[in-house]
Amino acid sequence: DAGVIQSPRHEVTEMGQEVTLRCKLISGHNSLFWYRQTMMRGLELLIYFNNNVPIDDSGMPEDRFSAKMPNASFSTLKIQPSEPRDSAVYFCASSSLETQYFGPGTRLLVL
Amino acid sequence: QKEVEQNSGPLSVPEGAIASLNCTYSDRGSQSFFWYRQYSGKSPELIMFIYSNGDKEDGRFTAQLNKASQYVSLLIRDSQPSDSATYLCAVRPAPNAGNMLTFGGGTRLMVKP
């Protein structure tokens, strides 16, 4: 089993640029979660989907962040325009019941 | 007030000792409780979960749940340097929360040889 796949693993960009993070769920899982982790704030839930439908996006920081799930196995998280304070590790996790399995993360640095 | 609280540590224990990690939660209706381990620079990985009051053992790990006192703990017996990591407690709130988990801030464990 391949596990959760995220790309890119590292991203360095300049302030104002658009950033797109990608996530592929574990086959057969129906829930997807996007998290952001920083030293200061720990692991924060940004948004989660169930059966491709966004259920709770209250953690999305502001309108610069958007997430989509165009099909049952794939999701994107977009930041436009990016800012230095968006620098963090972004994880996606998938689950079929209660247990969440995390991807390797994308380390984002916005200069 | 955070919904899931953990002491950030670091908790330092000698090799071979028992490490005790604690977590308290505020939602009395919480149903399921999870422990994740996160090595530096890596993603969280599930160690174990517990649903019922009492103890649940898996190898060197024991999870303990006390719903009346709203705490859950993780004991690591015969601690090894390879157990040095941050341990995250996660709680599934009331049943209508779907599959969402609320994570604590994590406790950093250091096992010294």
Side-chain angles (χ1 to χ4, degrees):
Chain A
D1 200 350
V4 177
I5 298 172
Q6 289 188 248
S7 66
R9 296 291 305 276
H10 301 272
E11 177 82 23
V12 181
T13 190
E14 291 187 345
M15 182 175 63
Q17 297 298 305
E18 178 179 296
V19 175
T20 299
L21 311 180
R22 297 174 176 80
C23 175
K24 185 175 186 300
L25 281 71
I26 294 172
S27 177
H29 284 193
N30 62 347
S31 295
L32 178 129
F33 304 80
W34 280 105
Y35 292 92
R36 177 172 68 177
Q37 188 174 43
T38 61
M39 289 292 291
M40 290 295 294
R41 299 173 70 92
L43 194 65
E44 302 175 277
L45 177 66
L46 300 177
I47 184 171
Y48 89 93
F49 294 82
N50 197 40
N51 294 321
N52 302 9
V53 177
I55 302 299
D56 186 342
D57 65 354
S58 59
M60 295 286 262
E62 48 199 271
D63 292 346
R64 298 185 297 107
F65 285 68
S66 62
K68 293 182 180 179
M69 198 164 175
N71 59 55
S73 61
F74 182 73
S75 177
T76 59
L77 177 68
K78 187 176 293 186
I79 308 172
Q80 167 63 21
S82 58
E83 297 183 3
R85 60 192 168 125
D86 301 331
S87 298
V89 181
Y90 290 81
F91 291 106
C92 74
S94 79
S95 74
S96 60
L97 296 171
E98 294 186 315
T99 304
Q100 293 184 21
Y101 298 91
F102 282 76
T106 295
R107 190 172 295 272
L108 173 65
L109 178 61
V110 183
L111 302 173
Chain B
Q1 181 183 0
K2 286 202 70 172
E3 297 176 18
V4 179
E5 296 270 4
Q6 296 181 256
N7 189 319
S8 61
L11 173 66
S12 182
V13 300
E15 183 175 356
I18 296 175
S20 177
L21 304 160
N22 299 313
C23 170
T24 58
Y25 58 94
S26 60
D27 184 350
R28 189 170 284 279
S30 297
Q31 299 287 303
S32 314
F33 307 85
F34 302 80
W35 283 100
Y36 284 79
R37 177 177 62 198
Q38 186 175 22
Y39 291 114
S40 180
K42 301 295 185 182
S43 58
E45 59 176 326
L46 180 69
I47 298 175
M48 60 191 307
F49 55 85
I50 186 167
Y51 300 144
S52 305
N53 274 329
D55 296 359
K56 179 181 178 183
E57 188 174 316
D58 184 359
R60 295 186 297 112
F61 298 96
T62 299
Q64 299 175 318
L65 175 60
N66 184 324
K67 288 187 177 181
S69 300
Q70 295 176 237
Y71 84 78
V72 57
S73 61
L74 179 70
L75 302 179
I76 306 174
R77 289 182 300 282
D78 189 23
S79 296
Q80 301 296 310
S82 59
D83 294 326
S84 297
T86 296
Y87 289 80
L88 300 167
C89 171
V91 174
R92 178 173 173 246
N96 61 358
N99 291 338
M100 192 176 72
L101 297 178
T102 301
F103 283 83
T107 297
R108 190 158 75 96
L109 173 67
M110 297 171 57
V111 181
K112 299 194 180 258

CSV table of all heavy atoms in Angstrom, one decimal, chain A residues 1-6 23-35 45 47-50 69 72-75 91-104, chain B residues 36 44 46 99 101:
chain,number,residue,atom,x,y,z
A,1,ASP,N,0.9,-1.2,0.0
A,1,ASP,CA,0.0,0.0,0.0
A,1,ASP,C,0.9,1.2,0.0
A,1,ASP,O,1.8,1.4,0.8
A,1,ASP,CB,-0.9,0.0,1.2
A,1,ASP,CG,-2.1,0.9,1.1
A,1,ASP,OD1,-2.1,1.6,0.1
A,1,ASP,OD2,-3.0,0.8,1.9
A,2,ALA,N,0.6,2.2,-0.9
A,2,ALA,CA,1.5,3.3,-1.1
A,2,ALA,C,1.4,4.3,0.0
A,2,ALA,O,2.4,5.1,0.2
A,2,ALA,CB,1.1,4.0,-2.4
A,3,GLY,N,0.3,4.4,0.8
A,3,GLY,CA,0.2,5.5,1.8
A,3,GLY,C,-0.2,6.8,1.1
A,3,GLY,O,-0.4,6.9,-0.1
A,4,VAL,N,-0.3,7.8,2.0
A,4,VAL,CA,-0.6,9.1,1.5
A,4,VAL,C,0.6,9.7,0.8
A,4,VAL,O,1.7,9.7,1.3
A,4,VAL,CB,-1.1,10.0,2.6
A,4,VAL,CG1,-1.4,11.4,2.1
A,4,VAL,CG2,-2.3,9.4,3.4
A,5,ILE,N,0.3,10.3,-0.4
A,5,ILE,CA,1.4,10.9,-1.2
A,5,ILE,C,1.2,12.4,-1.3
A,5,ILE,O,0.1,12.9,-1.6
A,5,ILE,CB,1.4,10.3,-2.6
A,5,ILE,CG1,1.6,8.8,-2.5
A,5,ILE,CG2,2.5,11.0,-3.5
A,5,ILE,CD1,1.5,8.0,-3.9
A,6,GLN,N,2.2,13.1,-1.0
A,6,GLN,CA,2.2,14.6,-1.1
A,6,GLN,C,3.3,15.1,-2.0
A,6,GLN,O,4.4,14.5,-2.1
A,6,GLN,CB,2.3,15.2,0.3
A,6,GLN,CG,1.2,15.1,1.2
A,6,GLN,CD,1.3,15.9,2.5
A,6,GLN,OE1,1.5,15.3,3.5
A,6,GLN,NE2,1.2,17.2,2.3
A,23,CYS,N,-2.1,16.3,-2.9
A,23,CYS,CA,-2.2,15.2,-1.9
A,23,CYS,C,-3.0,14.1,-2.6
A,23,CYS,O,-4.1,14.3,-3.2
A,23,CYS,CB,-2.9,15.6,-0.7
A,23,CYS,SG,-3.2,14.3,0.5
A,24,LYS,N,-2.5,12.9,-2.5
A,24,LYS,CA,-3.3,11.7,-3.0
A,24,LYS,C,-3.6,10.8,-1.8
A,24,LYS,O,-2.7,10.4,-1.1
A,24,LYS,CB,-2.4,10.9,-4.0
A,24,LYS,CG,-3.2,9.8,-4.7
A,24,LYS,CD,-2.3,9.1,-5.8
A,24,LYS,CE,-3.1,8.1,-6.6
A,24,LYS,NZ,-3.6,7.0,-5.7
A,25,LEU,N,-4.9,10.5,-1.7
A,25,LEU,CA,-5.3,9.7,-0.5
A,25,LEU,C,-5.0,8.2,-0.7
A,25,LEU,O,-4.6,7.7,-1.8
A,25,LEU,CB,-6.9,9.7,-0.4
A,25,LEU,CG,-7.5,10.9,0.2
A,25,LEU,CD1,-7.4,12.1,-0.7
A,25,LEU,CD2,-9.0,10.7,0.5
A,26,ILE,N,-5.0,7.5,0.4
A,26,ILE,CA,-4.9,6.1,0.4
A,26,ILE,C,-6.1,5.5,-0.3
A,26,ILE,O,-7.3,5.9,0.0
A,26,ILE,CB,-4.8,5.5,1.8
A,26,ILE,CG1,-3.4,6.0,2.4
A,26,ILE,CG2,-4.8,4.0,1.8
A,26,ILE,CD1,-3.3,5.7,3.9
A,27,SER,N,-5.9,4.5,-1.2
A,27,SER,CA,-7.0,3.9,-1.9
A,27,SER,C,-8.1,3.4,-0.9
A,27,SER,O,-7.8,2.7,0.0
A,27,SER,CB,-6.5,2.8,-2.8
A,27,SER,OG,-7.5,2.2,-3.4
A,28,GLY,N,-9.3,3.8,-1.2
A,28,GLY,CA,-10.4,3.3,-0.3
A,28,GLY,C,-10.8,4.2,0.8
A,28,GLY,O,-11.9,4.0,1.4
A,29,HIS,N,-10.0,5.2,1.1
A,29,HIS,CA,-10.3,6.1,2.1
A,29,HIS,C,-11.2,7.2,1.6
A,29,HIS,O,-11.2,7.6,0.4
A,29,HIS,CB,-9.0,6.8,2.7
A,29,HIS,CG,-8.2,5.9,3.6
A,29,HIS,ND1,-7.2,6.4,4.4
A,29,HIS,CD2,-8.3,4.6,3.8
A,29,HIS,CE1,-6.7,5.4,5.1
A,29,HIS,NE2,-7.4,4.3,4.8
A,30,ASN,N,-12.1,7.7,2.5
A,30,ASN,CA,-13.1,8.7,2.0
A,30,ASN,C,-13.0,10.0,2.7
A,30,ASN,O,-13.8,10.9,2.4
A,30,ASN,CB,-14.5,8.1,2.1
A,30,ASN,CG,-14.9,7.8,3.6
A,30,ASN,OD1,-14.0,7.8,4.4
A,30,ASN,ND2,-16.1,7.6,3.8
A,31,SER,N,-12.1,10.2,3.6
A,31,SER,CA,-11.9,11.5,4.3
A,31,SER,C,-10.5,12.0,4.1
A,31,SER,O,-9.6,11.3,4.2
A,31,SER,CB,-12.2,11.4,5.8
A,31,SER,OG,-13.6,11.0,6.0
A,32,LEU,N,-10.4,13.3,3.9
A,32,LEU,CA,-9.1,14.0,3.7
A,32,LEU,C,-9.0,15.2,4.6
A,32,LEU,O,-10.0,16.0,4.7
A,32,LEU,CB,-8.9,14.4,2.2
A,32,LEU,CG,-7.6,15.1,2.0
A,32,LEU,CD1,-6.8,14.4,0.9
A,32,LEU,CD2,-7.8,16.5,1.8
A,33,PHE,N,-7.9,15.4,5.2
A,33,PHE,CA,-7.6,16.5,6.1
A,33,PHE,C,-6.4,17.2,5.7
A,33,PHE,O,-5.4,16.6,5.4
A,33,PHE,CB,-7.4,15.9,7.5
A,33,PHE,CG,-8.5,15.1,8.0
A,33,PHE,CD1,-8.6,13.7,7.7
A,33,PHE,CD2,-9.5,15.6,8.9
A,33,PHE,CE1,-9.7,13.0,8.1
A,33,PHE,CE2,-10.6,14.8,9.3
A,33,PHE,CZ,-10.6,13.5,8.9
A,34,TRP,N,-6.4,18.5,5.7
A,34,TRP,CA,-5.2,19.4,5.5
A,34,TRP,C,-4.9,20.0,6.8
A,34,TRP,O,-5.7,20.7,7.5
A,34,TRP,CB,-5.5,20.5,4.5
A,34,TRP,CG,-5.4,20.0,3.0
A,34,TRP,CD1,-6.4,19.8,2.2
A,34,TRP,CD2,-4.2,19.8,2.3
A,34,TRP,NE1,-6.0,19.4,0.9
A,34,TRP,CE2,-4.6,19.4,1.0
A,34,TRP,CE3,-2.8,19.8,2.6
A,34,TRP,CZ2,-3.7,19.1,0.0
A,34,TRP,CZ3,-1.9,19.5,1.6
A,34,TRP,CH2,-2.4,19.1,0.3
A,35,TYR,N,-3.6,19.9,7.2
A,35,TYR,CA,-3.1,20.5,8.5
A,35,TYR,C,-1.9,21.4,8.1
A,35,TYR,O,-1.2,21.2,7.1
A,35,TYR,CB,-2.6,19.4,9.4
A,35,TYR,CG,-3.6,18.5,10.0
A,35,TYR,CD1,-4.0,17.3,9.4
A,35,TYR,CD2,-4.2,18.8,11.2
A,35,TYR,CE1,-4.9,16.4,10.0
A,35,TYR,CE2,-5.2,18.0,11.8
A,35,TYR,CZ,-5.5,16.8,11.2
A,35,TYR,OH,-6.4,16.0,11.7
A,45,LEU,N,-5.7,22.1,12.1
A,45,LEU,CA,-6.5,21.6,11.1
A,45,LEU,C,-7.0,22.8,10.2
A,45,LEU,O,-7.6,23.8,10.7
A,45,LEU,CB,-7.7,20.9,11.6
A,45,LEU,CG,-8.7,20.4,10.6
A,45,LEU,CD1,-8.1,19.3,9.7
A,45,LEU,CD2,-10.0,19.8,11.3
A,47,ILE,N,-8.8,22.3,6.9
A,47,ILE,CA,-10.0,22.0,6.3
A,47,ILE,C,-10.1,20.4,6.2
A,47,ILE,O,-9.1,19.8,6.1
A,47,ILE,CB,-10.1,22.6,4.9
A,47,ILE,CG1,-11.5,22.3,4.2
A,47,ILE,CG2,-9.0,22.1,4.0
A,47,ILE,CD1,-11.7,23.1,2.9
A,48,TYR,N,-11.3,19.9,6.2
A,48,TYR,CA,-11.4,18.5,5.9
A,48,TYR,C,-12.6,18.2,5.0
A,48,TYR,O,-13.6,18.9,5.0
A,48,TYR,CB,-11.3,17.6,7.1
A,48,TYR,CG,-12.6,17.3,7.8
A,48,TYR,CD1,-13.4,16.1,7.5
A,48,TYR,CD2,-13.1,18.1,8.9
A,48,TYR,CE1,-14.5,15.8,8.2
A,48,TYR,CE2,-14.2,17.7,9.6
A,48,TYR,CZ,-14.9,16.6,9.2
A,48,TYR,OH,-16.1,16.3,9.9
A,49,PHE,N,-12.5,17.1,4.2
A,49,PHE,CA,-13.5,16.7,3.2
A,49,PHE,C,-13.9,15.3,3.6
A,49,PHE,O,-13.1,14.5,4.1
A,49,PHE,CB,-12.8,16.6,1.8
A,49,PHE,CG,-12.4,17.9,1.2
A,49,PHE,CD1,-11.2,18.4,1.5
A,49,PHE,CD2,-13.2,18.6,0.3
A,49,PHE,CE1,-10.8,19.6,1.0
A,49,PHE,CE2,-12.8,19.8,-0.3
A,49,PHE,CZ,-11.6,20.3,0.1
A,50,ASN,N,-15.2,15.1,3.4
A,50,ASN,CA,-15.7,13.7,3.5
A,50,ASN,C,-16.5,13.4,2.2
A,50,ASN,O,-17.3,14.1,1.8
A,50,ASN,CB,-16.7,13.6,4.7
A,50,ASN,CG,-16.9,12.2,5.1
A,50,ASN,OD1,-16.0,11.4,5.1
A,50,ASN,ND2,-18.2,11.9,5.4
A,69,MET,N,-11.2,19.2,-3.9
A,69,MET,CA,-11.1,17.8,-4.0
A,69,MET,C,-11.8,17.4,-5.3
A,69,MET,O,-13.0,17.0,-5.2
A,69,MET,CB,-11.7,17.1,-2.8
A,69,MET,CG,-11.2,15.7,-2.6
A,69,MET,SD,-11.5,15.0,-1.0
A,69,MET,CE,-10.9,13.4,-1.3
A,72,ALA,N,-12.2,11.5,-5.9
A,72,ALA,CA,-12.2,10.8,-4.6
A,72,ALA,C,-10.8,10.6,-4.1
A,72,ALA,O,-10.7,10.2,-2.9
A,72,ALA,CB,-13.0,9.5,-4.7
A,73,SER,N,-9.8,10.7,-4.9
A,73,SER,CA,-8.5,10.3,-4.4
A,73,SER,C,-7.5,11.5,-4.4
A,73,SER,O,-6.3,11.2,-4.0
A,73,SER,CB,-8.0,9.2,-5.3
A,73,SER,OG,-7.8,9.6,-6.6
A,74,PHE,N,-7.9,12.7,-4.8
A,74,PHE,CA,-6.9,13.7,-5.0
A,74,PHE,C,-7.4,15.1,-4.4
A,74,PHE,O,-8.6,15.4,-4.6
A,74,PHE,CB,-6.6,13.8,-6.5
A,74,PHE,CG,-5.6,14.9,-6.8
A,74,PHE,CD1,-4.2,14.6,-6.6
A,74,PHE,CD2,-5.9,16.1,-7.4
A,74,PHE,CE1,-3.3,15.6,-6.9
A,74,PHE,CE2,-5.0,17.0,-7.7
A,74,PHE,CZ,-3.7,16.8,-7.5
A,75,SER,N,-6.5,15.8,-3.9
A,75,SER,CA,-6.8,17.1,-3.4
A,75,SER,C,-5.7,18.1,-3.6
A,75,SER,O,-4.5,17.7,-3.6
A,75,SER,CB,-7.2,17.1,-1.9
A,75,SER,OG,-7.5,18.3,-1.3
A,91,PHE,N,0.6,19.2,6.1
A,91,PHE,CA,0.4,17.8,6.0
A,91,PHE,C,-1.0,17.5,5.5
A,91,PHE,O,-1.9,18.3,5.8
A,91,PHE,CB,0.5,17.1,7.4
A,91,PHE,CG,1.8,17.1,8.0
A,91,PHE,CD1,2.2,17.9,9.0
A,91,PHE,CD2,2.8,16.1,7.5
A,91,PHE,CE1,3.4,17.8,9.6
A,91,PHE,CE2,4.0,16.1,8.1
A,91,PHE,CZ,4.4,16.9,9.1
A,92,CYS,N,-1.2,16.5,4.7
A,92,CYS,CA,-2.5,16.0,4.5
A,92,CYS,C,-2.6,14.6,5.1
A,92,CYS,O,-1.6,13.9,5.3
A,92,CYS,CB,-3.0,16.0,3.0
A,92,CYS,SG,-2.2,14.7,2.0
A,93,ALA,N,-3.8,14.2,5.5
A,93,ALA,CA,-4.0,12.9,6.1
A,93,ALA,C,-5.3,12.4,5.6
A,93,ALA,O,-6.2,13.1,5.2
A,93,ALA,CB,-4.2,13.1,7.7
A,94,SER,N,-5.4,11.0,5.4
A,94,SER,CA,-6.6,10.4,4.9
A,94,SER,C,-7.1,9.4,6.0
A,94,SER,O,-6.3,8.9,6.8
A,94,SER,CB,-6.4,9.8,3.6
A,94,SER,OG,-5.7,8.6,3.6
A,95,SER,N,-8.4,9.1,5.9
A,95,SER,CA,-8.9,8.1,6.8
A,95,SER,C,-10.1,7.5,6.2
A,95,SER,O,-10.8,8.0,5.3
A,95,SER,CB,-9.3,8.7,8.2
A,95,SER,OG,-10.5,9.5,8.1
A,96,SER,N,-10.4,6.2,6.6
A,96,SER,CA,-11.6,5.6,6.2
A,96,SER,C,-12.6,5.5,7.3
A,96,SER,O,-13.8,5.6,7.1
A,96,SER,CB,-11.3,4.2,5.6
A,96,SER,OG,-10.7,3.4,6.7
A,97,LEU,N,-12.1,5.3,8.5
A,97,LEU,CA,-13.0,5.3,9.7
A,97,LEU,C,-12.5,6.4,10.6
A,97,LEU,O,-12.5,7.6,10.2
A,97,LEU,CB,-13.0,3.9,10.4
A,97,LEU,CG,-13.6,2.8,9.5
A,97,LEU,CD1,-13.3,1.4,10.2
A,97,LEU,CD2,-15.1,3.0,9.3
A,98,GLU,N,-12.0,6.1,11.7
A,98,GLU,CA,-11.5,7.2,12.6
A,98,GLU,C,-10.0,7.5,12.6
A,98,GLU,O,-9.6,8.6,12.8
A,98,GLU,CB,-11.9,6.8,14.1
A,98,GLU,CG,-13.4,6.7,14.3
A,98,GLU,CD,-13.7,6.5,15.8
A,98,GLU,OE1,-13.0,5.7,16.4
A,98,GLU,OE2,-14.5,7.2,16.3
A,99,THR,N,-9.3,6.5,12.1
A,99,THR,CA,-7.8,6.6,12.2
A,99,THR,C,-7.3,7.4,11.0
A,99,THR,O,-7.6,7.1,9.9
A,99,THR,CB,-7.2,5.2,12.2
A,99,THR,OG1,-7.7,4.5,13.3
A,99,THR,CG2,-5.7,5.4,12.4
A,100,GLN,N,-6.5,8.4,11.3
A,100,GLN,CA,-5.9,9.2,10.2
A,100,GLN,C,-4.5,8.8,10.0
A,100,GLN,O,-3.7,8.6,10.9
A,100,GLN,CB,-6.0,10.7,10.6
A,100,GLN,CG,-7.4,11.3,10.7
A,100,GLN,CD,-7.4,12.8,11.0
A,100,GLN,OE1,-6.4,13.5,10.8
A,100,GLN,NE2,-8.5,13.3,11.5
A,101,TYR,N,-4.2,8.8,8.7
A,101,TYR,CA,-2.8,8.4,8.3
A,101,TYR,C,-2.2,9.6,7.6
A,101,TYR,O,-2.8,10.1,6.6
A,101,TYR,CB,-2.8,7.2,7.4
A,101,TYR,CG,-3.3,6.0,8.1
A,101,TYR,CD1,-4.7,5.6,8.1
A,101,TYR,CD2,-2.5,5.2,8.9
A,101,TYR,CE1,-5.2,4.5,8.8
A,101,TYR,CE2,-2.9,4.0,9.5
A,101,TYR,CZ,-4.3,3.7,9.5
A,101,TYR,OH,-4.7,2.6,10.2
A,102,PHE,N,-1.1,10.1,8.0
A,102,PHE,CA,-0.5,11.3,7.5
A,102,PHE,C,0.4,11.0,6.3
A,102,PHE,O,1.2,10.0,6.3
A,102,PHE,CB,0.3,12.0,8.6
A,102,PHE,CG,-0.6,12.7,9.6
A,102,PHE,CD1,-1.3,12.0,10.6
A,102,PHE,CD2,-0.7,14.1,9.5
A,102,PHE,CE1,-2.1,12.7,11.5
A,102,PHE,CE2,-1.5,14.8,10.4
A,102,PHE,CZ,-2.1,14.1,11.4
A,103,GLY,N,0.5,12.0,5.4
A,103,GLY,CA,1.5,12.0,4.4
A,103,GLY,C,2.8,12.6,4.9
A,103,GLY,O,2.8,13.0,6.0
A,104,PRO,N,3.8,12.6,4.1
A,104,PRO,CA,5.1,13.0,4.5
A,104,PRO,C,5.2,14.5,4.7
A,104,PRO,O,6.2,15.0,5.3
A,104,PRO,CB,6.1,12.5,3.4
A,104,PRO,CG,5.2,12.5,2.2
A,104,PRO,CD,3.8,12.1,2.7
B,36,TYR,N,-0.1,9.6,18.7
B,36,TYR,CA,0.8,9.7,17.5
B,36,TYR,C,2.2,10.0,18.0
B,36,TYR,O,2.4,10.7,18.9
B,36,TYR,CB,0.3,10.7,16.5
B,36,TYR,CG,-0.9,10.4,15.7
B,36,TYR,CD1,-2.2,10.5,16.2
B,36,TYR,CD2,-0.8,9.9,14.4
B,36,TYR,CE1,-3.3,10.2,15.5
B,36,TYR,CE2,-1.9,9.6,13.6
B,36,TYR,CZ,-3.1,9.8,14.2
B,36,TYR,OH,-4.2,9.4,13.4
B,44,PRO,N,3.5,12.8,11.6
B,44,PRO,CA,3.0,12.0,12.7
B,44,PRO,C,2.6,10.5,12.3
B,44,PRO,O,2.0,10.4,11.2
B,44,PRO,CB,1.7,12.7,13.2
B,44,PRO,CG,1.9,14.1,12.7
B,44,PRO,CD,2.7,14.0,11.4
B,46,LEU,N,0.7,6.9,13.7
B,46,LEU,CA,-0.2,6.4,14.8
B,46,LEU,C,0.5,5.3,15.6
B,46,LEU,O,1.1,4.4,15.0
B,46,LEU,CB,-1.4,5.8,14.1
B,46,LEU,CG,-2.5,5.2,15.1
B,46,LEU,CD1,-3.1,6.3,15.9
B,46,LEU,CD2,-3.5,4.4,14.4
B,99,ASN,N,-15.0,12.4,11.2
B,99,ASN,CA,-13.7,11.8,11.5
B,99,ASN,C,-12.7,12.8,12.0
B,99,ASN,O,-11.5,12.5,12.0
B,99,ASN,CB,-13.2,11.1,10.3
B,99,ASN,CG,-14.1,9.9,9.9
B,99,ASN,OD1,-14.7,9.3,10.8
B,99,ASN,ND2,-14.0,9.4,8.7
B,101,LEU,N,-10.2,15.0,14.2
B,101,LEU,CA,-9.5,14.8,15.4
B,101,LEU,C,-9.0,16.2,15.9
B,101,LEU,O,-8.7,17.1,15.1
B,101,LEU,CB,-8.3,13.9,15.3
B,101,LEU,CG,-8.6,12.5,14.9
B,101,LEU,CD1,-7.2,11.7,14.7
B,101,LEU,CD2,-9.4,11.8,15.9
